[in-house]
Amino acid sequence: MTIDLHCRSFLTLLDFSPAEIRYLLDLSHQLKQKRQQGIIGSSLRGKNIALLFEKTSTRTRCAFEIGVIEEGGHPSFIDISSSQFGKKESVEDSARVLAGFYHGIEFRGYSQKTVEDLAKYSGIPVYNGLTDEDHPTQILADLMTIEEALPHKPLNQVKVVYVGDTRNNMANAWMYGCAKMGMHFVAYGPSELHPAPESLNKALACAKENGATIEVSSDPACLASADVIYTDVWVSMGEEDQIVNRANLLKDYQITMDMLKQTNNPEVLFMHCLPAFHDCQTKFVSDASQNFGVDVREVSDEVFRSKHSIVFSEAENRLHSIKAILVATLGTPNHNQLGA
């Protein structure tokens, strides 16, 4: 079956078939191998990509900028706070203006509707670099990383337990990715922070089509036989006023070596989208402790630095997987297919 993703936007994994996601994963692996061999790409030659950032970023910005450049294109970073976007100019008008300059738009910000409207009104490919509801480029990198770490275990035999705040964008994105790829996903956290019904129902409907298992639990027994333990920070961007409440709700869900042992899998993997609070070397953790008397570290330093942790390979794979998305959707016809 020929997969053609040319001119497609990448807003959520729910928009893609399992075969299309499989194609993007294979392309991600191939592009990583080419980079390791020193092979320079040119599939985005002559293409200009706008990188719209409403939220701050390290990995997403670096991955898009380097991914575009290494394939011969030109990225333009646009800090929304210093532009007219959403202030003196509507999202619709901005989308139409940018479409006159650029071949594609990446957006990282708060509202999923914003990234959807950019795609609707621009008429060019738009890429979701993160919203409050979803983070699809991260999941593609995560699936790629799991395949590297577990080369003899197909994704549809992998169990992922997402621990902590299971109603945030990362938990949603993981539910969608697992549902698409026929995986076993468990959202493990306090009932107050279980997935929103709307997001959960989307995942369950998709899971039914693809033979996936989606579960929600507050019982540590759900950790048994996990292949991957995944977490994210307890307080997302824009939720800083929730520090004390989240720390109290999630203190029993910090990833520790004892929790990893509960999986009964000596080879269990620890993953995190980063940045992670695992020690006291960040201002955020230090301020939370000094000002509020709470520990906001979602993972112990021991786990973060252990043999189980593959977080830095995961971070690097943001580049290769984002590059694959760009090549597949914007690459010239003789470059956007596997094997080119």
Side-chain angles (χ1 to χ4, degrees), residues 180-202:
K180 281 290 183 179
M181 301 310 287
M183 300 168 69
H184 185 175
F185 175 84
V186 182
Y188 172 49
S191 58
E192 296 91 335
L193 296 176
H194 278 173
E198 181 180 0
S199 301
L200 180 59
N201 288 336
K202 288 179 185 178

Side-chain angles (χ1 to χ4, degrees), residues 174-176 178-179 183-186 200 203-204 207 212-216:
W174 257 116
M175 282 197 299
Y176 302 155
C178 286
M183 300 168 69
H184 185 175
F185 175 84
V186 182
L200 180 59
L204 289 171
T213 299
I214 306 294
E215 298 177 325
V216 179

Side-chain angles (χ1 to χ4, degrees), residues 16 37 59 76-77 113 132 180 255 259 271:
F16 292 81
Q37 295 165 6
R59 281 147 295 277
S76 295
F77 175 79
K113 185 177 186 301
D132 285 347
K180 281 290 183 179
I255 312 298
M259 180 180 285
M271 300 180 69

Side-chain angles (χ1 to χ4, degrees), residues 37 44 88 101 113 126 133 197 202 255 269 273 276 313 340:
Q37 295 165 6
L44 299 180
K88 290 186 175 181
F101 297 116
K113 185 177 186 301
V126 171
E133 183 179 317
K202 288 179 185 178
I255 312 298
L269 304 173
C273 56
S313 295

Side-chain angles (χ1 to χ4, degrees), residues 138-306:
Q138 178 68 53
I139 300 305
L140 195 67
D142 292 344
L143 294 175
M144 176 188 180
T145 307
I146 290 172
E147 290 191 324
E148 290 179 336
L150 301 174
H152 303 299
K153 195 163 193 176
L155 290 177
N156 62 7
Q157 294 179 20
V158 171
K159 178 179 178 179
V160 176
V161 180
Y162 186 97
V163 182
D165 179 1
T166 65
R167 39 102 260 178
N168 68 11
N169 52 4
M170 277 306 308
N172 289 342
W174 257 116
M175 282 197 299
Y176 302 155
C178 286
K180 281 290 183 179
M181 301 310 287
M183 300 168 69
H184 185 175
F185 175 84
V186 182
Y188 172 49
S191 58
E192 296 91 335
L193 296 176
H194 278 173
E198 181 180 0
S199 301
L200 180 59
N201 288 336
K202 288 179 185 178
L204 289 171
C206 182
K208 187 175 181 180
E209 296 175 0
N210 299 304
T213 299
I214 306 294
E215 298 177 325
V216 179
S217 179
S218 298
D219 185 349
C222 73
L223 295 164
S225 301
D227 296 292
V228 177
I229 298 295
Y230 201 106
T231 195
D232 191 9
V233 294
W234 292 346
V235 180
S236 298
M237 285 179 279
E239 297 181 333
E240 287 76 11
D241 60 335
Q242 297 293 315
I243 289 175
V244 175
N245 179 53
R246 292 291 168 73
N248 290 330
L249 278 174
L250 293 166
K251 61 185 179 181
D252 294 330
Y253 295 89
Q254 184 187 66
I255 312 298
T256 62
M257 292 302 290
D258 285 340
M259 180 180 285
L260 296 190
K261 290 175 183 176
Q262 292 181 68
T263 67
N264 298 316
N265 178 4
E267 304 302 321
V268 65
L269 304 173
F270 169 71
M271 300 180 69
H272 193 302
C273 56
L274 302 185
F277 297 137
H278 59 93
D279 57 23
C280 298
Q281 301 305 307
T282 61
K283 186 177 186 299
F284 190 90
V285 172
S286 178
D287 286 351
S289 177
Q290 293 178 14
N291 298 334
F292 304 107
V294 294
D295 184 356
V296 294
R297 292 173 295 175
E298 70 277 4
V299 57
S300 72
D301 197 50
E302 183 181 17
V303 169
F304 188 84
R305 299 179 187 277
S306 73

